[in-house]
Amino acid sequence: MTEPFLLFPDGFIWGCATASYQIEGAFDEDSKGESIWDRFSHTPGKITNGDTGDVACNHYHRFAEDVNLMSKIGLKAYRFSISWPRIIPDGIGEANEKGLAFYDRLVDKLLEKQIIPFVTLYHWDLPQALEDKGGWRNKDTAFAFAEYAKVVVNCLSDRVTKWMTLNEAPCVVHGYQREDSAPGAREPEKVINQIIHNLLLAHGLGVQVIRGNAKKQPEVGLVHNPSVKIPKTNSPEDTAAVKTAWFDANAWWFEPLYRGKYPEKLWREKRNDIPQITDEDMKIISTPTDFLGLNIYTGNLVEADHNRNSEGLKEVAYPREQPKTAMGWYINPDCIYYGLKAVAERYDVKKFFISENGCAFDDVVSYDGNIYDHYRINYLKDHFLSAYRAVSEGINLVGYFVWSLMDNFEWTRGYSKRFGIVFIDYNNSQKRILKESALWYKNIIEQNGIFK
Ligand code: FCB
């Protein structure tokens, strides 16, 4: 019996994603300024194997070849980020024409190959000069971000129409909380809440600046990584438990964005640790957007629990045999469906993208020179099916970006974790090899669908 073929909506945008610091290299070329990730990776002991992004995939010099690979895979879209310190080396002040010229060439090359550029303005590489003035602790950074956004929009918006403000603001916060990512600080709760507020403000200001300055009608959104909650069973009790768990974990980000205020329940809990905010800030933060990008890799299982000391729910551990990726992240494809559903049910989001999903595995080059990453194909297939389920239930998911186009600098894990559908041979001048998953993805894109 042949399995049914599931067709995605017409014009579904299949793409891949990357980020500047993870692939570009050329860390001090063409007048680029230092970023917090340059500083952090150059600090001994911070990154696995002492790796740095100094060279990375050398994409800065090999972008044309990389776009040709994208075209070979048949990508409809490419999501990349812009390095702020390449554009404004000191964070504020004069723009660096050479930095702008790089993205200018990249965008032209993408358009030549009919690949839609999706530009992320901030994927974690803050200019070190701004960190020296407080970084995201300082509200001025949000305004500096708006100035930087304006420079980029002036340069690219005659050709770029898809804009993403910040990537995964919660992970930016981790850099101030856990010491294990840049800038590597450990701040008290009150400062953390101010940082969250400043990031939300930067997003809102970014939306306004893009709308106000774009030469072509823009579509603007945020890229966020929600904490995904998956009900252990379909029972109404577990479903209700998931709602509460979701709210507690995510509302501090979503309510200001979509309702213009911080959630009262969580506000009461934070009491003395609330940040300095104004009504004007909240208006800016809740400026309507055109879409929301969700980065989803996994999720937590939740069930109802009415024991005396519980809040009516508990997170359940995955069984020991539940498979994991090389990152140690549990594989549960339902994360895509439930990740989208939780947001779609609560907020009026016009369009969704899965702006990142993918997996790290310990790929090896086989004797014939190919990389047979069937485990990655299985992972992607199951997650695409989960996305299909959301689409078939009426959620307006319009595109999906696989993380990542190529193996790259996986932050604190350096080059030890491979997420790409293109293999990078770091020992052999960053030679690129399409993995089996890239060829498989090409087929999915061509058919705009998948066998169940
Ligand atoms: C996300 C990041 C991305 C990449 C993946 C694996 O949190 O946005 O840069 O590192 O995880």
Side-chain angles (χ1 to χ4, degrees):
M1 203 184 82
T2 50
E3 299 290 349
F5 184 74
L6 307 177
L7 195 62
F8 276 73
D10 257 0
F12 195 80
I13 298 173
W14 298 100
C16 279
T18 63
S20 47
Y21 189 72
Q22 294 180 277
I23 65 165
E24 285 177 0
F27 80 108
D28 64 350
E29 282 181 50
D30 291 342
S31 310
K32 175 182 165 290
E34 189 189 14
S35 81
I36 55 173
W37 272 95
D38 290 313
R39 178 69 63 93
F40 192 75
S41 71
H42 292 156
T43 309
K46 295 294 186 190
I47 313 286
T48 308
N49 300 324
D51 290 340
T52 72
D54 292 2
V55 179
C57 307
N58 201 13
H59 172 76
Y60 190 74
H61 296 292
R62 297 177 72 159
F63 75 91
E65 174 189 354
D66 291 336
V67 177
N68 288 338
L69 285 178
M70 295 177 214
S71 172
K72 205 164 165 188
I73 300 168
L75 297 189
K76 305 274 183 216
Y78 173 52
R79 174 179 171 237
F80 62 96
S81 79
I82 301 219
S83 157
W84 182 348
R86 235 184 243 302
I87 305 301
I88 305 183
D90 293 328
I92 43 172
E94 229 164 276
N96 171 28
E97 291 304 326
K98 289 185 203 151
L100 283 166
F102 167 67
Y103 297 105
D104 206 57
R105 293 193 298 270
L106 172 61
V107 164
D108 281 344
K109 180 77 192 169
L110 288 165
L111 294 176
E112 179 197 314
K113 294 289 178 188
Q114 272 131 36
I115 299 168
I116 310 166
F118 277 68
V119 171
T120 306
L121 287 167
Y122 185 73
H123 199 130
W124 310 353
D125 40 0
L126 186 75
Q128 180 63 41
L130 290 184
E131 179 56 27
D132 295 341
K133 295 181 188 152
W136 287 108
R137 303 167 191 85
N138 185 342
K139 209 167 176 177
D140 292 347
T141 298
F143 293 94
F145 172 77
E147 285 302 311
Y148 148 69
K150 197 180 204 170
V151 171
V152 177
V153 168
N154 280 337
C155 173
L156 299 180
S157 66
D158 56 334
R159 287 151 292 155
V160 170
T161 58
K162 316 286 187 200
W163 298 93
M164 294 161 155
T165 53
L166 310 180
N167 177 77
E168 298 193 0
C171 285
V172 177
V173 177
H174 289 165
Y176 291 90
Q177 215 166 15
R178 299 187 182 167
E179 292 176 38
D180 64 354
S181 63
R186 189 180 287 272
E187 298 293 353
E189 192 61 23
K190 191 159 189 164
V191 177
I192 292 299
N193 289 331
Q194 186 68 50
I195 290 171
I196 294 176
H197 184 70
N198 294 343
L199 284 160
L200 287 167
L201 186 64
H203 155 75
L205 289 167
V207 175
Q208 297 190 348
V209 160
I210 295 164
R211 292 251 171 80
N213 293 274
K215 296 172 189 150
K216 269 194 186 166
Q217 182 68 31
E219 282 191 78
V220 195
L222 173 73
V223 170
H224 191 68
N225 54 325
S227 168
V228 175
K229 307 294 177 191
I230 302 171
K232 179 143 185 253
T233 72
N234 286 331
S235 72
E237 291 79 14
D238 284 359
T239 305
V242 156
K243 280 207 170 128
T244 311
W246 188 93
F247 188 88
D248 289 352
N250 293 293
W252 196 259
W253 294 100
F254 279 92
E255 294 287 298
L257 288 166
Y258 289 98
R259 303 264 160 87
K261 57 179 188 165
Y262 287 101
E264 268 156 43
K265 175 180 169 199
L266 304 180
W267 184 277
R268 279 196 302 275
E269 285 167 16
K270 289 187 193 261
R271 263 185 252 124
N272 301 324
D273 291 333
I274 51 175
Q276 275 179 3
I277 56 170
T278 66
D279 289 350
E280 181 59 20
D281 291 352
M282 299 316 289
K283 272 196 213 130
I284 295 170
I285 290 170
S286 55
T287 307
T289 50
D290 301 294
F291 64 82
L292 175 66
L294 295 180
N295 292 357
I296 300 178
Y297 291 87
T298 187
N300 305 101
L301 286 184
V302 170
E303 71 179 358
D305 175 28
H306 296 291
N307 288 333
R308 213 153 53 90
N309 294 323
S310 84
E311 291 172 45
L313 62 96
K314 69 171 186 233
E315 295 217 345
V316 219
Y318 277 105
R320 199 181 293 195
E321 60 280 9
Q322 184 86 8
K324 294 181 194 167
T325 67
M327 294 295 279
W329 300 345
Y330 283 110
I331 301 178
N332 184 347
D334 284 343
C335 62
I336 301 288
Y337 171 74
Y338 284 105
L340 287 161
K341 190 176 146 96
V343 183
E345 272 178 357
R346 194 171 167 89
Y347 305 105
D348 180 24
V349 176
K350 297 194 189 87
K351 278 183 191 178
F352 286 99
F353 288 92
I354 293 298
S355 34
E356 284 181 29
N357 168 252
C359 51
F361 284 108
D362 299 326
D363 301 305
V364 287
V365 183
S366 79
Y367 66 92
D368 61 3
N370 292 323
I371 295 104
Y372 296 104
D373 57 339
H374 54 89
Y375 32 78
R376 183 170 288 103
I377 294 176
N378 289 340
Y379 177 99
L380 291 174
K381 179 180 173 191
D382 291 344
H383 288 73
F384 290 175
L385 289 174
S386 184
Y388 185 86
R389 181 176 172 202
V391 170
S392 66
E393 289 186 16
I395 292 176
N396 194 25
L397 174 70
V398 299
Y400 202 114
F401 291 85
V402 170
W403 185 272
S404 176
L405 173 70
M406 50 190 156
D407 297 334
N408 58 47
F409 177 83
E410 180 43 41
W411 308 113
T412 41
R413 317 294 277 273
Y415 300 101
S416 70
K417 300 294 167 210
R418 293 181 176 273
F419 271 93
I421 59 171
V422 175
F423 186 89
I424 301 286
D425 191 345
Y426 298 110
N427 299 323
N428 185 9
S429 31
Q430 279 79 13
K431 183 177 166 206
R432 280 91 165 122
I433 310 171
L434 296 193
K435 299 181 192 176
E436 195 69 11
S437 55
L439 305 173
W440 172 86
Y441 192 32
K442 175 183 168 63
N443 202 32
I444 299 286
I445 299 171
E446 260 166 27
Q447 303 184 42
N448 194 33
I450 189 166
F451 280 101
K452 199 172 173 184

